[in-house]
Amino acid sequence: MLHAEWICIVDFGSQYTQLIARRIREIGVYCEIHPFNKALNVIEEKPPRGIILSGSPSSVYDEEAPIIEERVFELGIPVLGICYGLQLFAHHYNGAVDPAAKREYGKAMLNVSPQEALFEGIPEHSQVWMSHGDALSKLPESFQVIGTTENAPICAVRHESRPQFGVQFHPEVVHSEYGTAILKNFAYNICDCKGGWNPHSFIELAIEEIRNTVGSGHVICGLSGGVDSSVAAILLHKAIGDRLHCIHVDNGLMRKGESQEVVDTFRKNFKIPVDLVDAEDVFLTKLAGVTDPEKKRKIIGATFIEEFEREAKKFNQAEFLAQGTLYPDVIESVSFKGPSVTIKSHHNVGGLPEKMNLKLVEPFRELFKDEVRRVGLELGLPEAFIKRHPFPGPGLAIRIPGAVSKEKLELLREVDVIYLEELSKAQLYDSIWQAFAVLLPVQSVGVMGDARTYEYVAAVRAVTSLDGMTADWARIPPEVLERISNRIINEVRGVNRVVYDISSKPPATIEWE
């Protein structure tokens, strides 16, 4: 934890929990997400300015409902309960929660009193976003109603003497017109936060923490060339100078010409030395015949560490390995004993072997992707570099479902180059969060020059997103998709069919594996 002033978001499994964190950080206040069964220990160890209880797919009366210890309501720290979090107040203060007469999913009109601290500056009537099956049927003891909707007469409440508030709607969702203002009122008016969480303050704190962690030691940085590892390298170089040793491992899973481009960029533009390790044969040998995506990730992660440890022996006092791990990586890779489940192992998190000779330095472990980009701009990286789309740690291996081979990798590289070129020509690249091609383990019949073909199918994917936690498929114009398809089929020998992925996250993930 880098910031003394913070808000704790207690996760009960809501699909919107990460959005709460995004909104709180957007208003300049640092926050962290902790699972309901571990949050109280964190809160008591380092008290936050405020506590937000997230929503949940559960009912408070379910046999295995996620319930936080009731001591959290007796600490004197301001609490805001959202949806399920509101229902926890009823559970603690002898209210009642029942299946709502009318389940509410979607927009509703909220009626409030602007005199209330939580609703200061909010119109008396505004649109909010509902997503609940249960609702309060009896007001918790010592609480007052401060907001209603047509179907929820107890839609927002306030404790008569304690700084505790609850709302049935989701202020973190963009469809709640004044949701961010409500969260800002809670953070600043009720929790008395001062703000100041921004890229500049993060850099100052991160440099101090890196120096305290590393001491006089040396750091090996795994420089993939993506935004995360690149910004991390610049930050680390700023903190410890020539005690940073950047290593780029060409694992044979990179995009076309990318490895040499990465090395040249850092050596020439940023004056940071980079060692280039050619490990293509090592990786492809270990991946041969492996089809399970989790196994592929584990093999790639473990092999990366092995290569780094081997390279680290060239440097005196090398004790640390730096990685560009992000907060969504950590959240998705943690399986709580309750509402949240592991979606997939991330290369930077789940792919690490249990025993390694290098200690980890992860300066962005608490940041979202767009926050890292802002830090990069603050550090002086070119905007064009910062706007590059995310590229996964396991590289093209997870864009080839099934077994990976050199032949398939070469095909996918050519497809990917054409796809991104056409998006850039159409001036769509910057408006898309992430775009990439996938080579499917499927061959289909085609006709070229009056001859029958039986070749691979390529899928192209493009999504829009704020932080990668949720995403929608990008609406690329049909004429652009047509050019992409025509070029790929005509120019890449071995691919005779192109399909476009129109799945959102959730239920799909952004990457295919």
Side-chain angles (χ1 to χ4, degrees):
M1 185 185 299
L2 291 168
H3 216 270
E5 173 187 276
W6 72 294
I7 285 179
C8 180
I9 299 169
V10 182
D11 180 21
F12 294 95
S14 170
Q15 61 179 318
Y16 300 134
T17 300
Q18 288 78 30
L19 277 179
I20 302 172
R22 290 293 304 112
R23 299 292 176 258
I24 295 296
R25 292 190 184 187
E26 283 171 3
I27 62 175
V29 177
Y30 180 68
C31 64
E32 291 182 6
I33 298 169
H34 291 280
F36 73 92
N37 53 345
K38 300 177 183 177
L40 191 58
N41 290 337
V42 178
I43 290 167
E44 291 183 327
E45 184 179 330
K46 189 175 178 70
R49 289 288 180 89
I51 299 167
I52 297 178
L53 309 177
S54 83
S56 173
S58 303
S59 165
V60 289
Y61 296 122
D62 287 347
E63 188 174 332
E64 297 184 359
I67 304 291
I68 194 168
E69 291 182 53
E70 297 191 343
R71 196 160 72 253
V72 75
F73 299 110
E74 312 300 324
L75 298 174
I77 299 172
V79 180
L80 172 64
I82 295 176
C83 197
Y84 180 85
L86 164 65
Q87 295 163 23
L88 288 173
F89 283 123
H91 189 265
H92 176 64
Y93 288 104
N94 298 315
V97 178
D98 293 306
K102 291 185 179 180
R103 296 187 301 172
E104 288 188 295
Y105 295 98
K107 299 173 184 176
M109 190 59 63
L110 175 69
N111 310 301
V112 303
S113 169
Q115 282 70 46
E116 293 291 339
L118 189 65
F119 299 132
E120 183 180 324
I122 308 300
E124 290 185 39
H125 311 290
S126 66
Q127 177 186 287
V128 294
W129 186 260
M130 293 287 200
S131 180
H132 67 95
D134 292 349
L136 267 65
S137 57
K138 176 188 173 187
L139 192 65
E141 291 178 2
S142 303
F143 275 78
Q144 295 179 344
V145 175
I146 59 173
T148 65
T149 67
E150 183 179 354
N151 293 326
I154 308 176
C155 188
V157 301
R158 169 179 56 81
H159 195 281
E160 294 173 350
S161 58
R162 297 177 176 179
Q164 296 177 356
F165 301 78
V167 295
Q168 185 64 70
F169 58 91
H170 288 272
E172 70 275 19
V173 175
V174 292
H175 304 297
S176 292
E177 289 180 303
Y178 295 91
T180 298
I182 292 169
L183 293 173
K184 190 172 183 178
N185 284 338
F186 178 70
Y188 286 92
N189 296 352
I190 295 163
C191 301
D192 197 29
C193 290
K194 306 304 179 188
W197 171 254
N198 55 52
H200 183 75
S201 67
F202 169 81
I203 290 168
E204 290 182 341
L205 289 164
I207 287 174
E208 181 183 350
E209 185 165 279
I210 289 167
R211 288 172 177 167
N212 289 338
T213 301
V214 174
S216 59
H218 289 233
V219 178
I220 302 293
C221 178
L223 186 61
S224 70
V227 172
D228 307 330
S229 65
S230 298
V231 177
I234 303 294
L235 180 64
L236 284 156
H237 193 257
K238 194 176 180 72
I240 62 173
D242 61 6
R243 288 184 289 119
L244 171 68
H245 309 287
C246 289
I247 299 170
H248 177 77
V249 175
D250 182 0
N251 55 12
L253 307 172
M254 303 293 286
R255 290 169 289 201
K256 188 175 181 178
E258 190 164 24
S259 286
Q260 195 59 52
E261 182 184 345
V262 168
V263 172
D264 290 346
T265 298
F266 273 79
R267 286 175 180 171
K268 295 173 183 176
N269 294 7
F270 303 124
K271 310 302 179 187
I272 297 177
V274 182
D275 281 16
L276 176 61
V277 180
D278 183 358
E280 179 181 25
D281 290 343
V282 176
F283 278 84
L284 293 187
T285 298
K286 291 189 176 184
L287 287 169
V290 178
T291 58
D292 182 81
E294 282 294 287
K295 288 182 180 177
K296 286 198 284 189
R297 286 176 175 272
K298 299 289 186 181
I299 288 170
I300 293 165
T303 306
F304 258 113
I305 299 302
E306 290 169 7
E307 294 299 316
F308 282 129
E309 289 187 325
R310 187 178 297 111
E311 197 69 18
K313 293 176 183 176
K314 299 179 182 178
F315 303 100
N316 294 328
Q317 298 175 289
E319 304 168 19
F320 298 90
L321 171 66
Q323 292 194 139
T325 308
L326 301 186
Y327 204 21
D329 297 343
V330 176
I331 294 167
E332 285 194 357
S333 295
V334 173
S335 181
F336 303 140
K337 287 183 182 176
S340 301
V341 297
T342 299
I343 306 301
K344 60 186 175 182
S345 296
H346 281 263
H347 163 63
N348 287 351
V349 183
L352 297 175
E354 291 182 8
K355 295 181 180 179
M356 52 182 285
N357 298 327
L358 296 171
K359 302 169 191 172
L360 281 180
V361 177
E362 297 174 309
F364 303 145
R365 192 177 176 86
E366 295 164 348
L367 296 192
F368 290 95
K369 187 78 176 188
D370 58 320
E371 292 176 314
V372 174
R373 287 191 166 119
R374 291 201 294 272
V375 168
L377 290 172
E378 182 78 17
L379 288 169
L381 273 73
E383 189 171 355
F385 187 91
I386 292 298
K387 286 184 175 180
R388 292 179 68 189
H389 292 180
F391 188 65
L396 299 180
I398 58 170
R399 294 177 179 175
I400 300 176
V404 177
S405 69
K406 194 164 186 174
E407 175 207 4
K408 290 180 179 179
L409 287 162
E410 291 302 328
L411 282 176
L412 183 54
R413 287 190 185 98
E414 296 302 323
V415 171
D416 194 67
V417 166
I418 293 169
Y419 181 36
L420 297 184
E421 275 182 5
E422 288 300 324
L423 289 179
S424 296
K425 284 179 185 177
Q427 298 184 327
L428 295 172
Y429 185 88
D430 288 345
S431 62
I432 291 171
W433 163 265
Q434 191 173 3
F436 57 89
V438 179
L439 190 70
L440 302 185
V442 173
Q443 290 180 295
S444 69
V445 174
V447 178
M448 290 187 184
D450 295 328
R452 179 185 184 276
T453 61
Y454 191 60
E455 296 177 336
Y456 285 105
V457 178
V460 290
R461 178 136 169 84
V463 297
T464 56
S465 179
L466 287 175
D467 50 33
M469 295 305 300
T470 60
D472 193 14
W473 61 277
R475 272 61 173 177
I476 297 176
E479 60 272 17
V480 178
L481 290 172
E482 183 181 26
R483 286 199 301 272
I484 291 166
S485 176
N486 285 343
R487 279 197 62 192
I488 290 170
I489 292 170
N490 286 326
E491 297 176 31
V492 183
R493 187 177 294 274
V495 175
N496 69 357
R497 192 180 298 268
V498 177
V499 297
Y500 186 49
D501 182 350
I502 58 170
S503 310
S504 296
K505 175 186 179 181
T509 54
I510 295 177
E511 296 287 349
W512 277 49
E513 288 193 338

